[in-house]
Amino acid sequence: LRKDKEIVLAAMKQNGNALEYTNDNLKKNKEIVFAAVKQNGVALQFADESLKMDREIVIEALNSNGYALKYAGENIKKDKEVAVTVVKKYGSALEFAHYSLQNDFKVVDAAVSNQFSFDDVLKYASDSLKKNRKIVLSALKTNGSELEFAAENLKRDKEIVLSAVHRDGASLVYSDETMKRDRDVVLAAVKNYGPSLEYVHWELKKD
């Protein structure tokens, strides 16, 4: 019965992950795989390698679940247009984009500016973009804890650190020691999150 296309197609429409249990020939069948990824994007992982490089199939999978990018062929992972579209909805899917796109300003900016994600995204950016003030500030507007992944010099940048602690006082822990003794930064942090007093430099704690 697992070779019966009509039965398999009905199964895909109900649960795309059932693609795992079909035979190899059906995993190469575009109609079957399309139905599977339409129902559940990550079912792409069970498709034949040839269909993981099929733009129509992969786009349908990504429309269902942006994290399906993990299973896409290299040709799709290198596609800037696809990457920007995906990371606008699923910021941390940046992890699965080609490394060249993790160093692309437009792609990374779209990922860190994602207002629907509270995941850590900046950690998937290239080292050079972790040094970029605009990228880091964009990331901090959504998630203060992204300060953890900023370049070291930015962790002692008062504007950067203030942006982080205004969003999440606990992110003070990731700042440079000089910021932990800065009254403005510390005050902003503890106003946002009282227990962040734990991370304040001892000199200010006795003030």
Side-chain angles (χ1 to χ4, degrees), residues 63-77:
N63 284 339
S64 171
N65 187 327
Y67 298 110
L69 187 62
K70 178 178 181 178
Y71 307 108
E74 285 299 297
N75 61 319
I76 306 293
K77 289 182 177 181

Side-chain angles (χ1 to χ4, degrees), residues 15 20 26 62 70 80 84-85 98 110 117 179 189 198 200:
N15 184 343
E20 180 180 5
L26 290 178
L62 294 173
K70 178 178 181 178
K80 182 174 178 176
V84 170
T85 301
H98 191 263
S117 173
M179 293 293 97
E198 174 186 355
V200 174

Side-chain angles (χ1 to χ4, degrees), residues 1 37 49 64 76 103 141 143 148 170 178:
L1 286 177
V37 301
E49 292 302 312
S64 171
I76 306 293
N103 191 41
K141 284 180 182 177
N143 183 355
E148 177 181 2
T178 57

Side-chain angles (χ1 to χ4, degrees), residues 7-73:
I7 290 174
V8 172
L9 196 56
M12 296 308 105
K13 290 178 179 178
Q14 199 278 325
N15 184 343
N17 280 336
L19 183 64
E20 180 180 5
Y21 306 109
T22 64
N23 64 44
D24 290 344
N25 283 335
L26 290 178
K27 289 175 182 175
K28 296 176 183 177
N29 184 288
K30 189 167 181 175
E31 184 182 3
I32 294 290
V33 173
F34 188 90
V37 301
K38 183 174 184 177
Q39 197 282 325
N40 186 340
V42 295
L44 182 65
Q45 65 185 298
F46 305 119
D48 185 77
E49 292 302 312
S50 63
L51 291 182
K52 291 178 181 179
M53 297 185 287
D54 184 294
R55 189 179 177 88
E56 184 181 5
I57 291 286
V58 177
I59 294 298
E60 188 63 31
L62 294 173
N63 284 339
S64 171
N65 187 327
Y67 298 110
L69 187 62
K70 178 178 181 178
Y71 307 108

Side-chain angles (χ1 to χ4, degrees), residues 75-141:
N75 61 319
I76 306 293
K77 289 182 177 181
K78 292 178 181 178
D79 190 311
K80 182 174 178 176
E81 181 184 351
V82 169
V84 170
T85 301
V86 171
V87 301
K88 278 183 177 178
K89 287 185 178 180
Y90 303 86
S92 56
L94 180 65
E95 175 183 3
F96 308 118
H98 191 263
Y99 70 86
S100 63
L101 296 182
Q102 294 172 346
N103 191 41
D104 184 286
F105 182 91
K106 183 177 180 181
V107 173
V108 175
D109 190 47
V112 300
S113 300
N114 185 337
Q115 297 299 309
F116 306 105
S117 173
F118 296 96
D119 296 329
D120 294 324
V121 176
L122 189 61
K123 66 181 177 182
Y124 303 120
S126 67
D127 288 344
S128 65
L129 287 180
K130 288 174 183 172
K131 299 174 184 175
N132 185 292
R133 294 184 89 258
K134 185 179 185 304
I135 289 289
V136 173
L137 282 169
S138 291
L140 295 174
K141 284 180 182 177

